[in-house]
């Protein structure tokens, strides 16, 4: 194991390279970029966040950032996609009824409340929806068009619900949101 201390500006990072394979080094750098971006977004809006501040905090070179990402939005998209694959995956989120799908998504949002609120305050909740659609399209066990189009349609319809819920800092539980959804559906059919 090679350990190298890097001092950049007033940040001090320890760069750990487990072996000489560039894949592990790049994975480490990507993780540092994501971590730095999320930390900086605690106090700033995306529009006020520079790539320079991210790479300084992450302790990586500008070329490393641009080798992996084109923008701060790309960093957030990557992170959301990683979370969706890890937490929900096709074997979990797309099993059951549409109502189950909505509930599972809401539970995901509660678990990652800080990220969801960050997306919302930066008018980027759509990233979550886009990444969810990608997961639906990649799901191998969705075999019929009704389910595929239905899940996609519900996901885009949920954009407005998520936006309103995130704006309220997720104060209502997923079950409370489902109750509101059910009441809305009942009124809609009257």
């Amino acid at each position: 194991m090679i350990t190298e201390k890097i001092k950049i500006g007033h940040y001090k990072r320890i760069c750990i390279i487990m072996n000489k394979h560039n894949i592990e080094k790049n994975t480490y750098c990507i993780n540092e970029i994501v971590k730095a971006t999320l930390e900086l977004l605690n106090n700033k809006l995306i529009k006020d966040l520079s790539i320079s501040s991210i790479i300084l905090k992450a302790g990586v070179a500008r070329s490393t950032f641009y080798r992996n990402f084109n923008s701060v939005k790309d960093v957030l998209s990557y992170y959301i996609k990683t979370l969706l694959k890890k937490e929900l995956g096709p074997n979990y989120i797309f099993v059951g009824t549409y109502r189950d799908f909505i509930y599972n998504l809401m539970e995901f949002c509660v678990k990652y409340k800080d990220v969801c609120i960050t997306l919302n305050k930066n008018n980027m909740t759509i990233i979550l929806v886009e990444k969810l659609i990608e997961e639906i399209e990649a799901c191998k066990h969705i075999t019929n068009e009704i389910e595929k189009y239905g899940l996609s349609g519900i996901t885009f319809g949920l954009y407005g619900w998520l936006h309103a819920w995130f704006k309220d800092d997720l104060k209502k539980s997923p079950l409370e949101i489902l109750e509101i959804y059910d009441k809305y559906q009942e009124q809609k059919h009257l």
Side-chain angles (χ1 to χ4, degrees):
M1 181 185 301
I2 301 170
T3 303
E4 178 183 340
K5 291 187 180 181
I6 302 172
K7 180 148 174 82
I8 302 175
H10 60 279
Y11 294 104
K12 189 174 184 181
R13 292 278 185 198
I14 297 176
C15 182
I16 300 170
I17 304 168
M18 296 178 135
N19 62 29
K20 295 179 184 177
H21 293 101
N22 286 335
I23 293 171
E24 288 183 15
K25 181 179 178 184
N26 198 50
T27 300
Y28 172 81
C29 291
I30 287 170
N31 290 337
E32 289 300 303
I33 290 167
V34 169
K35 187 167 79 175
T37 301
L38 294 172
E39 287 175 16
L40 290 168
L41 283 173
N42 284 331
N43 302 315
K44 292 184 177 189
L45 293 175
I46 289 174
K47 67 181 180 72
D48 301 325
L49 189 60
S50 68
I51 303 302
S52 295
S53 63
I54 293 170
I55 63 173
L56 182 65
K57 187 154 185 72
V60 300
R62 184 173 295 277
S63 60
T64 301
F65 181 93
Y66 285 112
R67 181 176 52 248
N68 295 288
F69 306 105
N70 293 317
S71 65
V72 177
K73 181 182 177 191
D74 285 351
V75 175
L76 291 173
S77 292
Y78 168 83
Y79 184 61
I80 293 297
K81 184 174 185 168
T82 302
L83 291 178
L84 284 170
K85 284 188 176 300
K86 174 184 156 197
E87 295 293 331
L88 299 179
N91 294 326
Y92 174 72
I93 194 169
F94 307 123
V95 176
T97 66
Y98 289 144
R99 199 168 186 282
D100 295 334
F101 169 76
I102 293 168
Y103 181 79
N104 292 338
L105 178 58
M106 298 288 177
E107 283 289 310
F108 170 86
C109 293
V110 168
K111 185 169 184 177
Y112 294 101
K113 178 180 178 178
D114 292 342
V115 175
C116 292
I117 290 172
T118 295
L119 288 174
N120 193 65
K121 80 177 181 184
N122 286 284
N123 297 315
M124 296 186 128
T125 306
I126 194 69
I127 291 174
L128 178 58
V129 174
E130 290 169 347
K131 296 303 153 195
L132 204 49
I133 293 294
E134 285 178 17
E135 290 301 306
I136 290 168
E137 290 172 349
C139 188
K140 303 285 187 243
H141 71 271
I142 296 178
T143 56
N144 67 61
E145 289 183 337
I146 295 170
E147 191 171 7
K148 178 178 141 187
Y149 284 99
L151 284 169
S152 295
I154 285 174
T155 301
F156 274 107
L158 280 173
Y159 171 75
W161 286 80
L162 292 173
H163 180 76
W165 190 40
F166 294 169
K167 195 173 182 179
D168 287 340
D169 293 331
L170 289 81
K171 288 180 184 164
K172 297 202 178 295
S173 73
L175 285 175
E176 290 172 313
I177 294 294
L178 278 179
E179 287 173 7
I180 293 169
Y181 175 80
D182 289 341
K183 287 176 185 173
Y184 170 76
Q185 290 296 342
E186 287 172 16
Q187 287 180 356
K188 191 173 150 186
H189 293 307
L190 293 177

PDB file of all heavy atoms in Angstrom, residues 77-94 108 112 128 131-140:
ATOM      1  N   SER A  77     -25.558  13.580 -10.515  1.00  0.00           N
ATOM      2  CA  SER A  77     -26.196  12.499 -11.282  1.00  0.00           C
ATOM      3  C   SER A  77     -25.525  11.164 -10.993  1.00  0.00           C
ATOM      4  O   SER A  77     -26.192  10.146 -10.779  1.00  0.00           O
ATOM      5  CB  SER A  77     -26.131  12.790 -12.781  1.00  0.00           C
ATOM      6  OG  SER A  77     -26.931  13.871 -13.107  1.00  0.00           O
ATOM      7  N   TYR A  78     -24.200  11.163 -10.992  1.00  0.00           N
ATOM      8  CA  TYR A  78     -23.439   9.951 -10.689  1.00  0.00           C
ATOM      9  C   TYR A  78     -23.791   9.437  -9.292  1.00  0.00           C
ATOM     10  O   TYR A  78     -24.037   8.243  -9.089  1.00  0.00           O
ATOM     11  CB  TYR A  78     -21.931  10.241 -10.789  1.00  0.00           C
ATOM     12  CG  TYR A  78     -21.077   9.139 -10.227  1.00  0.00           C
ATOM     13  CD1 TYR A  78     -20.761   8.025 -11.005  1.00  0.00           C
ATOM     14  CD2 TYR A  78     -20.599   9.197  -8.921  1.00  0.00           C
ATOM     15  CE1 TYR A  78     -19.994   6.993 -10.478  1.00  0.00           C
ATOM     16  CE2 TYR A  78     -19.839   8.174  -8.395  1.00  0.00           C
ATOM     17  CZ  TYR A  78     -19.528   7.076  -9.166  1.00  0.00           C
ATOM     18  OH  TYR A  78     -18.776   6.055  -8.644  1.00  0.00           O
ATOM     19  N   TYR A  79     -23.819  10.343  -8.326  1.00  0.00           N
ATOM     20  CA  TYR A  79     -24.092   9.956  -6.945  1.00  0.00           C
ATOM     21  C   TYR A  79     -25.501   9.382  -6.800  1.00  0.00           C
ATOM     22  O   TYR A  79     -25.689   8.338  -6.177  1.00  0.00           O
ATOM     23  CB  TYR A  79     -23.886  11.158  -6.020  1.00  0.00           C
ATOM     24  CG  TYR A  79     -24.049  10.823  -4.564  1.00  0.00           C
ATOM     25  CD1 TYR A  79     -23.210   9.894  -3.944  1.00  0.00           C
ATOM     26  CD2 TYR A  79     -25.026  11.428  -3.793  1.00  0.00           C
ATOM     27  CE1 TYR A  79     -23.351   9.581  -2.598  1.00  0.00           C
ATOM     28  CE2 TYR A  79     -25.172  11.128  -2.447  1.00  0.00           C
ATOM     29  CZ  TYR A  79     -24.333  10.207  -1.857  1.00  0.00           C
ATOM     30  OH  TYR A  79     -24.487   9.884  -0.526  1.00  0.00           O
ATOM     31  N   ILE A  80     -26.478  10.043  -7.393  1.00  0.00           N
ATOM     32  CA  ILE A  80     -27.865   9.556  -7.313  1.00  0.00           C
ATOM     33  C   ILE A  80     -27.980   8.182  -7.964  1.00  0.00           C
ATOM     34  O   ILE A  80     -28.609   7.270  -7.426  1.00  0.00           O
ATOM     35  CB  ILE A  80     -28.844  10.558  -7.974  1.00  0.00           C
ATOM     36  CG1 ILE A  80     -28.906  11.855  -7.161  1.00  0.00           C
ATOM     37  CG2 ILE A  80     -30.225   9.955  -8.151  1.00  0.00           C
ATOM     38  CD1 ILE A  80     -29.447  11.707  -5.760  1.00  0.00           C
ATOM     39  N   LYS A  81     -27.360   8.013  -9.124  1.00  0.00           N
ATOM     40  CA  LYS A  81     -27.405   6.714  -9.805  1.00  0.00           C
ATOM     41  C   LYS A  81     -26.777   5.622  -8.933  1.00  0.00           C
ATOM     42  O   LYS A  81     -27.315   4.516  -8.817  1.00  0.00           O
ATOM     43  CB  LYS A  81     -26.684   6.809 -11.146  1.00  0.00           C
ATOM     44  CG  LYS A  81     -26.759   5.545 -11.960  1.00  0.00           C
ATOM     45  CD  LYS A  81     -26.158   5.723 -13.327  1.00  0.00           C
ATOM     46  CE  LYS A  81     -26.359   4.479 -14.144  1.00  0.00           C
ATOM     47  NZ  LYS A  81     -26.052   4.668 -15.550  1.00  0.00           N
ATOM     48  N   THR A  82     -25.661   5.939  -8.296  1.00  0.00           N
ATOM     49  CA  THR A  82     -24.993   4.987  -7.414  1.00  0.00           C
ATOM     50  C   THR A  82     -25.894   4.608  -6.237  1.00  0.00           C
ATOM     51  O   THR A  82     -26.015   3.429  -5.886  1.00  0.00           O
ATOM     52  CB  THR A  82     -23.667   5.590  -6.885  1.00  0.00           C
ATOM     53  OG1 THR A  82     -22.842   5.933  -8.003  1.00  0.00           O
ATOM     54  CG2 THR A  82     -22.927   4.619  -5.988  1.00  0.00           C
ATOM     55  N   LEU A  83     -26.548   5.606  -5.643  1.00  0.00           N
ATOM     56  CA  LEU A  83     -27.448   5.336  -4.523  1.00  0.00           C
ATOM     57  C   LEU A  83     -28.632   4.483  -4.949  1.00  0.00           C
ATOM     58  O   LEU A  83     -29.017   3.548  -4.232  1.00  0.00           O
ATOM     59  CB  LEU A  83     -27.959   6.643  -3.914  1.00  0.00           C
ATOM     60  CG  LEU A  83     -26.958   7.508  -3.175  1.00  0.00           C
ATOM     61  CD1 LEU A  83     -27.627   8.783  -2.673  1.00  0.00           C
ATOM     62  CD2 LEU A  83     -26.305   6.756  -2.023  1.00  0.00           C
ATOM     63  N   LEU A  84     -29.229   4.817  -6.093  1.00  0.00           N
ATOM     64  CA  LEU A  84     -30.377   4.044  -6.575  1.00  0.00           C
ATOM     65  C   LEU A  84     -30.000   2.587  -6.811  1.00  0.00           C
ATOM     66  O   LEU A  84     -30.724   1.677  -6.426  1.00  0.00           O
ATOM     67  CB  LEU A  84     -30.951   4.656  -7.851  1.00  0.00           C
ATOM     68  CG  LEU A  84     -31.788   5.914  -7.662  1.00  0.00           C
ATOM     69  CD1 LEU A  84     -32.086   6.560  -9.009  1.00  0.00           C
ATOM     70  CD2 LEU A  84     -33.076   5.618  -6.907  1.00  0.00           C
ATOM     71  N   LYS A  85     -28.858   2.363  -7.438  1.00  0.00           N
ATOM     72  CA  LYS A  85     -28.421   0.988  -7.690  1.00  0.00           C
ATOM     73  C   LYS A  85     -28.165   0.245  -6.378  1.00  0.00           C
ATOM     74  O   LYS A  85     -28.542  -0.913  -6.223  1.00  0.00           O
ATOM     75  CB  LYS A  85     -27.165   0.972  -8.546  1.00  0.00           C
ATOM     76  CG  LYS A  85     -27.428   1.252  -9.996  1.00  0.00           C
ATOM     77  CD  LYS A  85     -26.163   1.028 -10.800  1.00  0.00           C
ATOM     78  CE  LYS A  85     -26.387   1.192 -12.260  1.00  0.00           C
ATOM     79  NZ  LYS A  85     -27.357   0.290 -12.842  1.00  0.00           N
ATOM     80  N   LYS A  86     -27.545   0.932  -5.432  1.00  0.00           N
ATOM     81  CA  LYS A  86     -27.202   0.317  -4.155  1.00  0.00           C
ATOM     82  C   LYS A  86     -28.447   0.049  -3.308  1.00  0.00           C
ATOM     83  O   LYS A  86     -28.609  -1.037  -2.756  1.00  0.00           O
ATOM     84  CB  LYS A  86     -26.257   1.248  -3.394  1.00  0.00           C
ATOM     85  CG  LYS A  86     -25.919   0.813  -1.995  1.00  0.00           C
ATOM     86  CD  LYS A  86     -25.060   1.858  -1.315  1.00  0.00           C
ATOM     87  CE  LYS A  86     -25.209   1.740   0.183  1.00  0.00           C
ATOM     88  NZ  LYS A  86     -24.753   2.891   0.896  1.00  0.00           N
ATOM     89  N   GLU A  87     -29.317   1.026  -3.204  1.00  0.00           N
ATOM     90  CA  GLU A  87     -30.431   0.956  -2.261  1.00  0.00           C
ATOM     91  C   GLU A  87     -31.694   0.314  -2.832  1.00  0.00           C
ATOM     92  O   GLU A  87     -32.394  -0.376  -2.120  1.00  0.00           O
ATOM     93  CB  GLU A  87     -30.785   2.355  -1.757  1.00  0.00           C
ATOM     94  CG  GLU A  87     -29.701   2.986  -0.939  1.00  0.00           C
ATOM     95  CD  GLU A  87     -29.458   2.275   0.382  1.00  0.00           C
ATOM     96  OE1 GLU A  87     -30.389   1.678   0.942  1.00  0.00           O
ATOM     97  OE2 GLU A  87     -28.306   2.327   0.856  1.00  0.00           O
ATOM     98  N   LEU A  88     -32.005   0.634  -4.062  1.00  0.00           N
ATOM     99  CA  LEU A  88     -33.287   0.192  -4.590  1.00  0.00           C
ATOM    100  C   LEU A  88     -33.156  -0.930  -5.594  1.00  0.00           C
ATOM    101  O   LEU A  88     -33.929  -1.868  -5.585  1.00  0.00           O
ATOM    102  CB  LEU A  88     -34.048   1.369  -5.198  1.00  0.00           C
ATOM    103  CG  LEU A  88     -34.373   2.486  -4.217  1.00  0.00           C
ATOM    104  CD1 LEU A  88     -35.100   3.604  -4.934  1.00  0.00           C
ATOM    105  CD2 LEU A  88     -35.202   1.991  -3.071  1.00  0.00           C
ATOM    106  N   GLY A  89     -32.199  -0.816  -6.464  1.00  0.00           N
ATOM    107  CA  GLY A  89     -31.969  -1.848  -7.454  1.00  0.00           C
ATOM    108  C   GLY A  89     -33.214  -2.410  -8.111  1.00  0.00           C
ATOM    109  O   GLY A  89     -34.294  -2.343  -7.546  1.00  0.00           O
ATOM    110  N   PRO A  90     -33.092  -2.940  -9.290  1.00  0.00           N
ATOM    111  CA  PRO A  90     -34.245  -3.453 -10.025  1.00  0.00           C
ATOM    112  C   PRO A  90     -34.969  -4.592  -9.326  1.00  0.00           C
ATOM    113  O   PRO A  90     -36.161  -4.771  -9.509  1.00  0.00           O
ATOM    114  CB  PRO A  90     -33.665  -3.913 -11.351  1.00  0.00           C
ATOM    115  CG  PRO A  90     -32.203  -3.864 -11.223  1.00  0.00           C
ATOM    116  CD  PRO A  90     -31.857  -3.057 -10.019  1.00  0.00           C
ATOM    117  N   ASN A  91     -34.285  -5.340  -8.501  1.00  0.00           N
ATOM    118  CA  ASN A  91     -34.944  -6.462  -7.835  1.00  0.00           C
ATOM    119  C   ASN A  91     -35.793  -6.027  -6.644  1.00  0.00           C
ATOM    120  O   ASN A  91     -36.512  -6.822  -6.074  1.00  0.00           O
ATOM    121  CB  ASN A  91     -33.899  -7.487  -7.358  1.00  0.00           C
ATOM    122  CG  ASN A  91     -33.208  -8.127  -8.530  1.00  0.00           C
ATOM    123  OD1 ASN A  91     -33.800  -8.337  -9.576  1.00  0.00           O
ATOM    124  ND2 ASN A  91     -31.934  -8.412  -8.365  1.00  0.00           N
ATOM    125  N   TYR A  92     -35.697  -4.763  -6.276  1.00  0.00           N
ATOM    126  CA  TYR A  92     -36.434  -4.298  -5.110  1.00  0.00           C
ATOM    127  C   TYR A  92     -37.522  -3.299  -5.485  1.00  0.00           C
ATOM    128  O   TYR A  92     -38.683  -3.506  -5.202  1.00  0.00           O
ATOM    129  CB  TYR A  92     -35.455  -3.660  -4.117  1.00  0.00           C
ATOM    130  CG  TYR A  92     -36.133  -3.027  -2.933  1.00  0.00           C
ATOM    131  CD1 TYR A  92     -36.713  -3.817  -1.953  1.00  0.00           C
ATOM    132  CD2 TYR A  92     -36.199  -1.645  -2.798  1.00  0.00           C
ATOM    133  CE1 TYR A  92     -37.349  -3.251  -0.862  1.00  0.00           C
ATOM    134  CE2 TYR A  92     -36.834  -1.074  -1.710  1.00  0.00           C
ATOM    135  CZ  TYR A  92     -37.396  -1.875  -0.746  1.00  0.00           C
ATOM    136  OH  TYR A  92     -38.022  -1.307   0.314  1.00  0.00           O
ATOM    137  N   ILE A  93     -37.145  -2.258  -6.150  1.00  0.00           N
ATOM    138  CA  ILE A  93     -38.096  -1.164  -6.367  1.00  0.00           C
ATOM    139  C   ILE A  93     -39.214  -1.510  -7.339  1.00  0.00           C
ATOM    140  O   ILE A  93     -40.315  -1.005  -7.235  1.00  0.00           O
ATOM    141  CB  ILE A  93     -37.369   0.121  -6.809  1.00  0.00           C
ATOM    142  CG1 ILE A  93     -38.323   1.307  -6.678  1.00  0.00           C
ATOM    143  CG2 ILE A  93     -36.832   0.010  -8.216  1.00  0.00           C
ATOM    144  CD1 ILE A  93     -37.675   2.635  -6.815  1.00  0.00           C
ATOM    145  N   PHE A  94     -38.980  -2.365  -8.284  1.00  0.00           N
ATOM    146  CA  PHE A  94     -39.963  -2.612  -9.330  1.00  0.00           C
ATOM    147  C   PHE A  94     -40.797  -3.860  -9.090  1.00  0.00           C
ATOM    148  O   PHE A  94     -41.387  -4.404  -9.991  1.00  0.00           O
ATOM    149  CB  PHE A  94     -39.274  -2.667 -10.690  1.00  0.00           C
ATOM    150  CG  PHE A  94     -38.416  -1.465 -10.954  1.00  0.00           C
ATOM    151  CD1 PHE A  94     -37.078  -1.594 -11.234  1.00  0.00           C
ATOM    152  CD2 PHE A  94     -38.952  -0.184 -10.895  1.00  0.00           C
ATOM    153  CE1 PHE A  94     -36.289  -0.477 -11.465  1.00  0.00           C
ATOM    154  CE2 PHE A  94     -38.177   0.931 -11.118  1.00  0.00           C
ATOM    155  CZ  PHE A  94     -36.844   0.780 -11.400  1.00  0.00           C
ATOM    156  N   PHE A 108     -36.631   5.699   0.137  1.00  0.00           N
ATOM    157  CA  PHE A 108     -35.302   6.060  -0.342  1.00  0.00           C
ATOM    158  C   PHE A 108     -35.047   7.539  -0.066  1.00  0.00           C
ATOM    159  O   PHE A 108     -33.972   7.917   0.415  1.00  0.00           O
ATOM    160  CB  PHE A 108     -35.207   5.759  -1.846  1.00  0.00           C
ATOM    161  CG  PHE A 108     -33.965   6.297  -2.506  1.00  0.00           C
ATOM    162  CD1 PHE A 108     -32.792   5.568  -2.498  1.00  0.00           C
ATOM    163  CD2 PHE A 108     -33.983   7.528  -3.141  1.00  0.00           C
ATOM    164  CE1 PHE A 108     -31.648   6.069  -3.106  1.00  0.00           C
ATOM    165  CE2 PHE A 108     -32.854   8.033  -3.754  1.00  0.00           C
ATOM    166  CZ  PHE A 108     -31.674   7.300  -3.733  1.00  0.00           C
ATOM    167  N   TYR A 112     -32.129   9.370   2.286  1.00  0.00           N
ATOM    168  CA  TYR A 112     -31.166  10.310   1.711  1.00  0.00           C
ATOM    169  C   TYR A 112     -31.764  11.719   1.653  1.00  0.00           C
ATOM    170  O   TYR A 112     -31.638  12.430   0.671  1.00  0.00           O
ATOM    171  CB  TYR A 112     -30.717   9.817   0.329  1.00  0.00           C
ATOM    172  CG  TYR A 112     -29.948   8.531   0.449  1.00  0.00           C
ATOM    173  CD1 TYR A 112     -30.550   7.311   0.175  1.00  0.00           C
ATOM    174  CD2 TYR A 112     -28.639   8.524   0.915  1.00  0.00           C
ATOM    175  CE1 TYR A 112     -29.852   6.120   0.324  1.00  0.00           C
ATOM    176  CE2 TYR A 112     -27.940   7.347   1.072  1.00  0.00           C
ATOM    177  CZ  TYR A 112     -28.550   6.149   0.771  1.00  0.00           C
ATOM    178  OH  TYR A 112     -27.852   4.984   0.943  1.00  0.00           O
ATOM    179  N   LEU A 128     -33.092  12.994  -9.955  1.00  0.00           N
ATOM    180  CA  LEU A 128     -33.588  11.764  -9.344  1.00  0.00           C
ATOM    181  C   LEU A 128     -34.544  11.051 -10.291  1.00  0.00           C
ATOM    182  O   LEU A 128     -34.447   9.832 -10.492  1.00  0.00           O
ATOM    183  CB  LEU A 128     -34.282  12.074  -8.015  1.00  0.00           C
ATOM    184  CG  LEU A 128     -34.915  10.901  -7.268  1.00  0.00           C
ATOM    185  CD1 LEU A 128     -33.883   9.823  -6.955  1.00  0.00           C
ATOM    186  CD2 LEU A 128     -35.587  11.394  -5.991  1.00  0.00           C
ATOM    187  N   LYS A 131     -32.598   9.516 -13.331  1.00  0.00           N
ATOM    188  CA  LYS A 131     -31.843   8.318 -12.961  1.00  0.00           C
ATOM    189  C   LYS A 131     -32.782   7.147 -12.674  1.00  0.00           C
ATOM    190  O   LYS A 131     -32.462   5.999 -12.970  1.00  0.00           O
ATOM    191  CB  LYS A 131     -30.921   8.590 -11.766  1.00  0.00           C
ATOM    192  CG  LYS A 131     -29.842   9.600 -12.069  1.00  0.00           C
ATOM    193  CD  LYS A 131     -29.001   9.168 -13.248  1.00  0.00           C
ATOM    194  CE  LYS A 131     -28.383  10.303 -13.981  1.00  0.00           C
ATOM    195  NZ  LYS A 131     -27.869   9.940 -15.299  1.00  0.00           N
ATOM    196  N   LEU A 132     -33.935   7.433 -12.123  1.00  0.00           N
ATOM    197  CA  LEU A 132     -34.929   6.390 -11.883  1.00  0.00           C
ATOM    198  C   LEU A 132     -35.435   5.819 -13.208  1.00  0.00           C
ATOM    199  O   LEU A 132     -35.570   4.603 -13.359  1.00  0.00           O
ATOM    200  CB  LEU A 132     -36.085   6.965 -11.066  1.00  0.00           C
ATOM    201  CG  LEU A 132     -36.926   6.010 -10.256  1.00  0.00           C
ATOM    202  CD1 LEU A 132     -36.092   5.071  -9.417  1.00  0.00           C
ATOM    203  CD2 LEU A 132     -37.893   6.776  -9.385  1.00  0.00           C
ATOM    204  N   ILE A 133     -35.680   6.688 -14.179  1.00  0.00           N
ATOM    205  CA  ILE A 133     -36.110   6.241 -15.515  1.00  0.00           C
ATOM    206  C   ILE A 133     -35.028   5.349 -16.139  1.00  0.00           C
ATOM    207  O   ILE A 133     -35.340   4.321 -16.739  1.00  0.00           O
ATOM    208  CB  ILE A 133     -36.427   7.442 -16.431  1.00  0.00           C
ATOM    209  CG1 ILE A 133     -37.658   8.186 -15.929  1.00  0.00           C
ATOM    210  CG2 ILE A 133     -36.596   7.010 -17.877  1.00  0.00           C
ATOM    211  CD1 ILE A 133     -38.952   7.413 -16.006  1.00  0.00           C
ATOM    212  N   GLU A 134     -33.766   5.721 -15.985  1.00  0.00           N
ATOM    213  CA  GLU A 134     -32.676   4.885 -16.501  1.00  0.00           C
ATOM    214  C   GLU A 134     -32.716   3.492 -15.869  1.00  0.00           C
ATOM    215  O   GLU A 134     -32.482   2.494 -16.551  1.00  0.00           O
ATOM    216  CB  GLU A 134     -31.317   5.536 -16.226  1.00  0.00           C
ATOM    217  CG  GLU A 134     -30.999   6.699 -17.124  1.00  0.00           C
ATOM    218  CD  GLU A 134     -29.653   7.344 -16.793  1.00  0.00           C
ATOM    219  OE1 GLU A 134     -28.815   6.723 -16.087  1.00  0.00           O
ATOM    220  OE2 GLU A 134     -29.457   8.489 -17.238  1.00  0.00           O
ATOM    221  N   GLU A 135     -32.985   3.432 -14.574  1.00  0.00           N
ATOM    222  CA  GLU A 135     -33.076   2.138 -13.898  1.00  0.00           C
ATOM    223  C   GLU A 135     -34.257   1.326 -14.422  1.00  0.00           C
ATOM    224  O   GLU A 135     -34.152   0.115 -14.593  1.00  0.00           O
ATOM    225  CB  GLU A 135     -33.188   2.320 -12.381  1.00  0.00           C
ATOM    226  CG  GLU A 135     -31.918   2.820 -11.726  1.00  0.00           C
ATOM    227  CD  GLU A 135     -30.735   1.897 -11.941  1.00  0.00           C
ATOM    228  OE1 GLU A 135     -30.839   0.693 -11.630  1.00  0.00           O
ATOM    229  OE2 GLU A 135     -29.704   2.375 -12.427  1.00  0.00           O
ATOM    230  N   ILE A 136     -35.375   1.989 -14.671  1.00  0.00           N
ATOM    231  CA  ILE A 136     -36.550   1.301 -15.225  1.00  0.00           C
ATOM    232  C   ILE A 136     -36.213   0.723 -16.598  1.00  0.00           C
ATOM    233  O   ILE A 136     -36.507  -0.433 -16.892  1.00  0.00           O
ATOM    234  CB  ILE A 136     -37.760   2.258 -15.324  1.00  0.00           C
ATOM    235  CG1 ILE A 136     -38.270   2.602 -13.923  1.00  0.00           C
ATOM    236  CG2 ILE A 136     -38.879   1.639 -16.173  1.00  0.00           C
ATOM    237  CD1 ILE A 136     -39.263   3.749 -13.891  1.00  0.00           C
ATOM    238  N   GLU A 137     -35.579   1.533 -17.427  1.00  0.00           N
ATOM    239  CA  GLU A 137     -35.232   1.082 -18.780  1.00  0.00           C
ATOM    240  C   GLU A 137     -34.226  -0.062 -18.769  1.00  0.00           C
ATOM    241  O   GLU A 137     -34.229  -0.896 -19.661  1.00  0.00           O
ATOM    242  CB  GLU A 137     -34.712   2.260 -19.598  1.00  0.00           C
ATOM    243  CG  GLU A 137     -35.804   3.264 -19.923  1.00  0.00           C
ATOM    244  CD  GLU A 137     -35.294   4.542 -20.572  1.00  0.00           C
ATOM    245  OE1 GLU A 137     -34.061   4.772 -20.610  1.00  0.00           O
ATOM    246  OE2 GLU A 137     -36.150   5.322 -21.025  1.00  0.00           O
ATOM    247  N   ALA A 138     -33.372  -0.113 -17.753  1.00  0.00           N
ATOM    248  CA  ALA A 138     -32.356  -1.169 -17.669  1.00  0.00           C
ATOM    249  C   ALA A 138     -32.873  -2.432 -16.983  1.00  0.00           C
ATOM    250  O   ALA A 138     -32.213  -3.467 -17.030  1.00  0.00           O
ATOM    251  CB  ALA A 138     -31.138  -0.644 -16.914  1.00  0.00           C
ATOM    252  N   CYS A 139     -34.035  -2.351 -16.370  1.00  0.00           N
ATOM    253  CA  CYS A 139     -34.566  -3.479 -15.597  1.00  0.00           C
ATOM    254  C   CYS A 139     -34.955  -4.633 -16.520  1.00  0.00           C
ATOM    255  O   CYS A 139     -35.808  -4.499 -17.386  1.00  0.00           O
ATOM    256  CB  CYS A 139     -35.760  -3.019 -14.771  1.00  0.00           C
ATOM    257  SG  CYS A 139     -36.319  -4.263 -13.626  1.00  0.00           S
ATOM    258  N   LYS A 140     -34.345  -5.779 -16.310  1.00  0.00           N
ATOM    259  CA  LYS A 140     -34.551  -6.939 -17.178  1.00  0.00           C
ATOM    260  C   LYS A 140     -35.881  -7.647 -16.938  1.00  0.00           C
ATOM    261  O   LYS A 140     -36.422  -8.280 -17.819  1.00  0.00           O
ATOM    262  CB  LYS A 140     -33.417  -7.951 -16.982  1.00  0.00           C
ATOM    263  CG  LYS A 140     -32.041  -7.390 -17.240  1.00  0.00           C
ATOM    264  CD  LYS A 140     -31.773  -7.228 -18.708  1.00  0.00           C
ATOM    265  CE  LYS A 140     -30.346  -6.838 -18.957  1.00  0.00           C
ATOM    266  NZ  LYS A 140     -30.143  -5.584 -19.563  1.00  0.00           N
TER     267      LYS A 140
END
